[in-house]
Amino acid sequence: MTMERDKRSAIQLAAEKLFAKKGFQATSIRELGREAGVNSSMISYYFKSKQQLLLSIFERSIYDLSSISAQLADQRLTEMEKLNQLIDFYTAKLLADGTSTYIMLQEQLLRSIERSSQLSEEITEKQFSLLEGIVKAGITNGSFKPDINIRMIFYTLLGTFRQIVIVHSKLWLQDSPDIDPKRFQSDIGQANRYLKSLLSQMLVS
């Protein structure tokens, strides 16, 4: 079972790298197999098709969101502490796997396959629902100001992280000699601190 998981993960990592660098349509099954170090027939075995392989990257994000939702629900934290943990979650995810975020941003524009657009919308809605639930609970118990535009707060959070990924697109495209991962890490760290401070100012009574 562990070997199967390792092969599946290797294929997904190879797909993320090649889809980001070359695009979904321009990446062949043979290239994916070569990058992952497996026979190309293994891709069909684990994912049925290149389309399903792409969707598996989106589905992993949905699973991650479900995990952080359960984690926050299980802890006795204030609403502000939950929001800070949510920001930490996005920060850690981008630092560990920014490529998948870049691919999803690509797909929102290119719409290579129909289901990817649907999953992208589902992920965005789940992200908003999670934030909305925390903020509304804070409003109800008096921790947060009552006149809050939750949708605009969501766009601020999401837009900040996404913009950093776009600015550092060279990391995913791998087409430049002046790639600087440390600058990306620094920007993400600064965004983490900035957004926590901003939310505290915007929300706390």
Side-chain angles (χ1 to χ4, degrees):
M1 184 66 76
T2 300
M3 185 179 296
E4 286 198 0
R5 282 200 300 267
D6 289 346
K7 285 184 178 179
R8 183 181 173 89
S9 295
I11 293 169
Q12 285 182 313
L13 288 173
E16 287 184 7
K17 180 179 178 180
L18 292 176
F19 290 165
K21 183 179 180 179
K22 301 185 63 175
F24 172 79
Q25 300 292 0
T27 301
S28 71
I29 293 290
R30 182 171 296 179
E31 286 175 306
L32 287 168
R34 186 163 56 244
E35 182 68 33
V38 301
N39 189 296
S40 56
S41 63
M42 297 302 292
I43 296 171
S44 297
Y45 173 76
Y46 286 113
F47 297 98
K48 307 303 181 188
S49 66
K50 191 172 72 166
Q51 288 81 0
Q52 288 300 318
L53 176 53
L54 174 62
L55 294 179
S56 75
I57 297 171
F58 286 70
E59 289 163 353
R60 190 174 63 214
S61 291
I62 293 176
Y63 174 81
D64 290 343
L65 280 171
S66 298
S67 296
I68 187 62
S69 298
Q71 181 181 325
L72 291 175
D74 271 352
Q75 297 187 38
R76 295 181 179 179
L77 302 171
T78 67
E79 277 65 40
M80 196 67 239
E81 288 171 335
K82 288 182 179 181
L83 289 178
N84 285 340
Q85 279 209 3
L86 188 59
I87 292 172
D88 286 340
F89 162 76
Y90 287 126
T91 301
K93 183 171 175 58
L94 283 176
L95 289 175
D97 184 26
T99 314
S100 62
T101 299
Y102 181 75
I103 290 170
M104 285 189 278
L105 291 175
Q106 275 187 326
E107 280 303 302
Q108 286 181 334
L109 294 174
L110 300 176
R111 296 177 178 268
S112 300
I113 57 176
E114 181 181 351
R115 180 66 178 139
S116 70
S117 299
Q118 295 171 349
L119 280 178
S120 179
E121 291 172 5
E122 183 179 338
I123 290 167
T124 300
E125 193 53 41
K126 283 181 178 292
Q127 289 172 324
F128 176 72
S129 296
L130 179 54
L131 175 72
E132 182 182 41
I134 296 171
V135 174
K136 282 187 173 180
I139 293 172
T140 299
N141 65 29
S143 300
F144 295 158
K145 301 171 185 177
D147 55 339
I148 294 170
N149 189 323
I150 302 175
R151 182 66 67 174
M152 290 300 108
I153 290 174
F154 174 66
Y155 290 153
T156 300
L157 291 175
L158 200 65
T160 298
F161 284 126
R162 286 183 172 181
Q163 183 60 31
I164 292 173
V165 171
I166 292 170
V167 166
H168 291 277
S169 61
K170 290 177 181 178
L171 287 172
W172 331 120
L173 296 173
Q174 304 171 48
D175 62 355
S176 173
D178 61 340
I179 293 173
D180 186 3
K182 290 184 178 179
R183 178 63 185 276
F184 172 71
Q185 294 165 6
S186 174
D187 284 355
I188 289 294
Q190 289 182 59
N192 179 290
R193 295 185 291 274
Y194 169 75
L195 290 171
K196 286 178 179 178
S197 175
L198 181 65
L199 283 190
S200 179
Q201 295 175 46
M202 294 174 68
L203 297 174
V204 178
S205 303

